[in-house]
């Protein structure tokens, strides 16, 4: 007791410091949880079928809505890389069979999803736009990359998501389309957002030409 009385001030100071460290630790946990909850989460996946007949699904698993600016399909082949913005697509009307244009550009609510046609249709669009040799696509195993460029909340710079699939058009339907990674690549860091911004500017420049 005499030692405690003699060192009461030192013990009190150490106790205050330890209490402060505990509060800082819990504050950091709360902040990390808040940041993780606020972080955009966009998923690119397959649905309703297998192989190239499967639909390309874009899901918004963020806590808030996102605004989709561009949906870019990129075909990586031995001859080169071919990009095409597929946010707008052509659809046949029912009665007169006239083609009309639709768009996926716009808000996507939290927990909602949309599909941008089948993977096979996307590959056909790229091949038709760039006049690619279909036989060459069958001879090799190209990769199809789906990029999502979106605006999240009040943030100025766009966020993005990307996922690649291997295309083996000569395989059985079950193995025609194989994801190269288990999950969608999130592009939320400042460095990634600068790259996404370059993608968006390149698309706008291409449309202006």
């Amino acid at each position: 007791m005499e030692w405690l009385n003699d060192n009461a001030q030192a013990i009190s100071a150490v106790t205050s410091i330890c209490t402060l460290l505990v509060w800082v630790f819990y504050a950091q946990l709360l902040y990390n949880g808040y940041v993780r909850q606020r972080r955009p989460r966009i998923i690119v996946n397959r649905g309703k079928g297998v192989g190239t007949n499967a639909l390309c699904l874009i899901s918004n698993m963020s806590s808030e809505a996102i605004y989709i600016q561009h949906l870019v399909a990129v075909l990586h082949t031995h001859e080169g890389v071919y990009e095409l913005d597929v946010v707008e697509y052509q659809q046949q009307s029912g009665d007169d069979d006239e083609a009309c244009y639709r768009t996926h550009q716009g808000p996507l609510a939290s927990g909602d999803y949309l599909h941008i046609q089948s993977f096979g249709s996307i590959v056909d669009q790229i091949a038709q736009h760039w006049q690619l040799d279909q036989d060459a696509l069958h001879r090799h195993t190209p990769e199809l990359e789906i990029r999502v460029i979106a605006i999240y909340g009040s943030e100025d710079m766009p966020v993005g998501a990307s996922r690649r699939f291997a295309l083996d058009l000569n395989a059985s339907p079950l193995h025609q389309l194989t994801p190269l990674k288990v999950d969608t690549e999130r592009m939320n860091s400042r460095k990634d957002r600068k790259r996404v911004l370059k993608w968006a500017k390149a698309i706008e420049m291409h449309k202006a030409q």
Side-chain angles (χ1 to χ4, degrees), residues 75-207:
L75 193 63
H76 301 263
T77 70
H78 292 276
E79 289 77 19
V81 178
Y82 305 94
E83 302 181 9
L84 183 63
D85 188 5
V86 294
V87 73
E88 295 179 346
Y89 64 100
Q90 189 172 329
Q91 187 181 59
Q92 296 296 126
S93 58
D95 298 332
D96 50 9
D97 292 331
E98 290 184 358
C100 57
Y101 284 91
R102 306 287 183 181
T103 181
H104 292 304
Q105 190 178 66
L108 185 64
S110 174
D112 205 353
Y113 72 94
L114 58 85
H115 69 82
I116 53 171
Q117 310 174 63
S118 68
F119 285 91
S121 297
I122 294 172
V123 173
D124 290 341
Q125 285 185 52
I126 299 174
Q128 182 178 4
H129 179 80
W130 291 99
Q131 298 181 353
L132 302 180
D133 184 8
Q134 291 283 355
D135 293 335
L137 296 180
H138 282 77
R139 285 196 301 269
H140 304 290
T141 305
E143 295 178 3
L144 177 64
E145 179 185 1
I146 303 297
R147 297 174 179 173
V148 182
I149 302 175
I151 298 297
Y152 181 65
S154 60
E155 300 179 14
D156 296 329
M157 296 187 67
V159 298
S162 173
R163 195 173 189 188
R164 283 196 185 195
F165 301 84
L167 284 172
D168 189 351
L169 300 178
N170 294 320
S172 63
L174 186 62
H175 300 96
Q176 285 180 346
L177 190 73
T178 306
L180 296 181
K181 290 185 178 180
V182 177
D183 200 1
T184 305
E185 178 187 0
R186 294 192 239 183
M187 309 186 72
N188 300 330
S189 67
R190 185 169 183 81
K191 180 181 178 181
D192 289 336
R193 292 188 179 195
K194 287 183 178 180
R195 196 170 74 168
V196 174
L197 185 59
K198 287 183 179 179
W199 291 349
K201 288 182 178 179
I203 294 172
E204 296 300 332
M205 289 180 61
H206 179 72
K207 289 183 176 180

Side-chain angles (χ1 to χ4, degrees), residues 15-77:
T15 303
S16 299
I17 292 174
C18 291
T19 303
L20 178 62
L21 291 176
V22 170
W23 279 110
V24 169
F25 173 74
Y26 278 107
Q28 186 67 33
L29 287 180
L30 291 173
Y31 176 75
N32 290 339
Y34 172 77
V35 171
R36 187 164 50 250
Q37 184 180 8
R38 290 278 303 165
R39 190 176 300 155
R41 181 78 166 109
I42 303 170
I43 297 177
V44 180
N45 208 347
R46 299 168 296 178
K48 198 177 180 181
V50 296
T52 56
N53 290 325
L55 296 177
C56 180
L57 301 180
I58 309 297
S59 303
N60 178 25
M61 304 307 295
S62 312
S63 59
E64 295 183 14
I66 61 174
Y67 184 89
I68 295 180
Q69 282 189 315
H70 302 285
L71 297 169
V72 184
V74 186
L75 193 63
H76 301 263
T77 70

